[in-house]
Amino acid sequence: MGLRRSYTLFAPLYDTIVGPVFTEARRKSLARLPAAATRILLSGIGTGLDVPYLPEGPFYVGIDLTAAMLKRARRRAPDFGLAQASAQRLPFADETFDHVVLHLILAVVPDPIAALREAARVVRTGGLILVYDKFLRRGQRAPLRRLFSPVLGRIVTHTDRVFEDILVQVPSLAVIEDRADRVNGYFRRITLKRLPD
Ligand SMILES: C[S@@+](CC[C@H](N)C(=O)[O-])C[C@H]1O[C@@H](n2cnc3c(N)ncnc32)[C@H](O)[C@@H]1O
């Protein structure tokens, strides 16, 4: 079963299962969005659980691979620009957005380097990319998370991604904050800044 199929099945349950778990994490991550912004992208917006924590003012664009997830996002945010697309190949010109949100997406997509590169391409120089996800530390043992990742990765999320291995492939980004969050720091709130070329 592919990701689009599994998230289509998961969509009606997503808010009930995932919603309450990450409320505080979303609030803290999105509090990093600077006040002065005109266009912000949520890449892999899902059902739009971030929407209540977004500051008013900018125009928001959301993309997701799964129509059933986007349908729910549309209900929650009828004024957003929403499109079905892949985070690994964004249908936007370079530097279209002031900031990009990558919540619970880098561990999900098959190619997280492509997804991060695309976020770095479409954000303006000096703009922020807000990452919230689960990552192993380099060399961390975590045998079960490594064992099950190939199977879980095909249906819902990878559990053995190492953020530093992804970031090193996207040199136009610098880490400006990296906070340990849930599950002893397995989940992290990371703020990246797009450097000048
Ligand atoms: C764990 S959910 C996260 C959704 C949302 N960002 C959140 O924080 O609740 C992962 C989302 O990634 C979407 N997805 C999977 N592969 C994708 C891809 N290649 N491009 C864009 N979205 C993708 C799924 O449809 C799902 O909505």
Side-chain angles (χ1 to χ4, degrees), residues 163-186:
F163 180 70
E164 289 68 19
D165 292 347
I166 302 168
L167 183 67
V168 77
Q169 301 296 329
V170 193
S172 60
L173 298 177
V175 176
I176 59 171
E177 192 177 33
D178 184 349
R179 292 287 181 99
D181 199 75
R182 301 178 65 94
V183 197
N184 297 323
Y186 181 38

Side-chain angles (χ1 to χ4, degrees), residues 3-4 6-8 10 14-15 18-19 22 26 42-50 63-67 69-70 84-90 101-106 108-111 115 132-134 156-157:
L3 282 173
R4 197 189 314 226
S6 55
Y7 274 100
T8 300
F10 192 19
Y14 188 83
D15 289 2
V18 176
F22 297 112
R26 291 180 197 282
L42 288 85
S43 189
I45 187 173
T47 61
L49 285 174
D50 286 330
I63 65 96
D64 200 280
L65 190 70
T66 311
M69 298 291 276
L70 274 176
Q84 191 171 8
S86 174
Q88 298 172 177
R89 198 185 163 105
L90 293 170
V101 177
L102 295 176
H103 281 179
L104 303 175
I105 184 76
L106 286 183
V108 170
V109 293
D111 187 346
Y132 183 79
D133 224 317
K134 55 202 164 309
V156 59
T157 185

Side-chain angles (χ1 to χ4, degrees), residues 2-178:
L3 282 173
R4 197 189 314 226
R5 175 106 181 98
S6 55
Y7 274 100
T8 300
L9 297 173
F10 192 19
L13 306 171
Y14 188 83
D15 289 2
T16 308
I17 295 171
V18 176
V21 182
F22 297 112
T23 304
E24 193 55 15
R26 291 180 197 282
R27 194 185 60 70
K28 285 183 179 159
S29 174
L30 296 171
R32 294 282 169 275
L33 285 173
T38 53
R39 270 191 304 274
I40 294 178
L41 172 68
L42 288 85
S43 189
I45 187 173
T47 61
L49 285 174
D50 286 330
V51 171
Y53 311 100
L54 293 168
E56 275 182 35
F59 179 64
Y60 290 99
V61 173
I63 65 96
D64 200 280
L65 190 70
T66 311
M69 298 291 276
L70 274 176
K71 190 172 137 195
R72 285 165 174 79
R74 198 164 284 120
R75 269 189 228 137
R76 195 167 255 136
D79 53 337
F80 281 25
L82 295 173
Q84 191 171 8
S86 174
Q88 298 172 177
R89 198 185 163 105
L90 293 170
F92 306 113
D94 296 358
E95 306 211 22
T96 298
F97 298 96
D98 294 300
H99 311 294
V100 176
V101 177
L102 295 176
H103 281 179
L104 303 175
I105 184 76
L106 286 183
V108 170
V109 293
D111 187 346
I113 296 167
L116 190 60
R117 269 198 194 123
E118 279 293 87
R121 181 182 67 75
V122 302
V123 77
R124 67 168 169 77
T125 301
L128 302 183
I129 298 177
L130 304 181
V131 174
Y132 183 79
D133 224 317
K134 55 202 164 309
F135 300 107
L136 295 183
R137 304 278 170 182
R138 273 185 179 151
Q140 188 178 342
R141 282 187 57 246
L144 291 179
R145 281 174 272 183
R146 290 185 189 280
L147 179 68
F148 289 115
S149 191
V151 175
L152 290 174
R154 277 198 285 276
I155 51 177
V156 59
T157 185
H158 293 264
T159 52
D160 66 349
R161 294 254 155 102
V162 174
F163 180 70
E164 289 68 19
D165 292 347
I166 302 168
L167 183 67
V168 77
Q169 301 296 329
V170 193
S172 60
L173 298 177
V175 176
I176 59 171
E177 192 177 33
D178 184 349

